[in-house]
Amino acid sequence: MEFLCVNILAGSFELPYLSVYLDATGSYFTYGANFATAGSTIRPQNTTLAQSGFSTISLNVQYYQYSQFHSRSQIIRARGGVFRELLPKNDDFSPALYTFDIGQNDLTSGLFLNMSTDEVKMTVPQILDQFTTIVKYIYGEGGRSFWIHNTGPVGCLPYVMDRLPITAGQIDSVGCANSFNQVAQYFNQKLKETVVQLRKDLPLAAMTYVDVYSIKYSLIKHARKHGKPV
Ligand SMILES: *[C@@H]1O[C@H](CO)[C@@H](O)[C@H](O)[C@H]1NC(C)=O
Ligand SMILES: *[C@@H]1O[C@H](CO)[C@@H](O)[C@H](O)[C@H]1NC(C)=O
């Protein structure tokens, strides 16, 4: 999850990356803050990072961090001086863009626990309920613009294909594991429905659903065209 002040969008895109929220030194949050961590899931996992490789900073923790950032940035900004240049104004939070790219690790965490694809699909409603909760919390803090990526073709990821048993019949013409991609497609269909519901529940919000799956799948399908050496 990222919180992006709209002033970054109004200007050039040749701006530095957003500072990471947990980066304690040299950070500059005027344009926003990045709460993402590698291996994050929507649902908190029942495993440690060492056991599973999934981050303990799940979406709810990212939300807590955001919420603290929202309030504490204002306390610190009020000290004046350099803090006024390093931290966003309270008025920046409502028009900011809130971006989400999360969910893939919830699917792979189930697969890595040896759940069947049907069992993983059965966890999708719980995963999306949790996602809905967090979007509503941010709306509750004034957030109005949401940019939501769907999840990519997990069945094309080398670390998934390497780690899970796949039969030749499950490989599609592009070389991806179709059975796992179907789980991602199922998640995306339900995510789309979730966004439609959120638009009804949060009438003042603008929600953009971005089909990252198609973009990534097309990149992999046409890898040569996009510069992969022959
Ligand atoms: C973790 O365990 C709790 C309690 O058994 C369960 O409700 C929850 O779904 C589990 N979470 C995941 C991600 O498996
Ligand atoms: C999943 O199955 C594989 C192969 O049988 C096994 O090596 C692995 O320990 C299992 N993983 C879990 C988390 O049960």
Side-chain angles (χ1 to χ4, degrees):
M1 173 189 152
E2 252 180 26
F3 148 76
L4 191 60
C5 290
V6 280
N7 52 5
I8 197 179
L9 296 172
S12 141
F13 279 97
E14 286 170 30
L15 288 161
Y17 287 120
L18 293 187
S19 282
V20 176
Y21 170 72
L22 289 176
D23 194 358
T25 55
S27 288
Y28 180 72
F29 294 115
T30 315
Y31 294 124
N34 184 356
F35 299 91
T37 70
S40 285
T41 51
I42 294 173
R43 284 202 302 169
Q45 298 298 296
N46 292 321
T47 50
T48 66
L49 179 72
Q51 285 168 329
S52 64
F54 292 105
S55 171
T56 49
I57 302 181
S58 45
L59 186 58
N60 60 326
V61 179
Q62 294 180 26
Y63 166 72
Y64 301 143
Q65 292 180 336
Y66 160 75
S67 190
Q68 291 185 349
F69 175 72
H70 191 169
S71 54
R72 291 179 186 171
S73 60
Q74 298 316 300
I75 295 167
I76 296 171
R77 208 171 180 276
R79 291 182 192 160
V82 69
F83 298 116
R84 298 186 70 78
E85 282 151 42
L86 295 176
L87 294 161
K89 295 193 270 296
N90 199 34
D91 288 349
D92 290 335
F93 283 84
S94 199
L97 184 65
Y98 292 84
T99 75
F100 298 82
D101 187 318
I102 195 161
Q104 179 170 289
N105 293 321
D106 290 83
L107 305 180
T108 52
S109 77
L111 294 171
F112 291 162
L113 289 170
N114 291 339
M115 288 166 78
S116 69
T117 51
D118 281 341
E119 284 170 333
V120 175
K121 283 181 187 172
M122 279 164 58
T123 65
V124 168
Q126 270 186 35
I127 297 168
L128 291 173
D129 277 354
Q130 179 72 15
F131 181 77
T132 294
T133 299
I134 301 299
V135 171
K136 288 186 174 175
Y137 282 165
I138 293 170
Y139 185 86
E141 292 214 18
R144 292 293 178 263
S145 303
F146 297 86
W147 181 268
I148 299 166
H149 287 183
N150 72 5
T151 203
V154 289
C156 301
L157 298 175
Y159 78 95
V160 170
M161 298 190 74
D162 176 55
R163 198 157 147 185
L164 295 171
I166 302 164
T167 61
Q170 289 170 333
I171 304 291
D172 68 10
S173 61
V174 173
C176 300
N178 194 32
S179 47
F180 303 138
N181 279 348
Q182 277 169 9
V183 177
Q185 285 164 14
Y186 179 81
F187 175 87
N188 288 343
Q189 179 200 324
K190 295 292 168 195
L191 176 65
K192 205 169 184 176
E193 290 170 18
T194 298
V195 170
V196 168
Q197 186 60 44
L198 279 167
R199 286 191 185 119
K200 288 184 191 150
D201 294 349
L202 310 176
L204 301 178
M207 305 246 167
T208 308
Y209 171 90
V210 188
D211 185 10
V212 165
Y213 183 101
S214 298
I215 298 166
K216 286 187 177 166
Y217 192 75
S218 164
L219 268 175
I220 295 163
K221 186 174 182 180
H222 304 293
R224 291 249 159 78
K225 202 174 108 194
H226 295 298
K228 176 181 175 261
V230 182

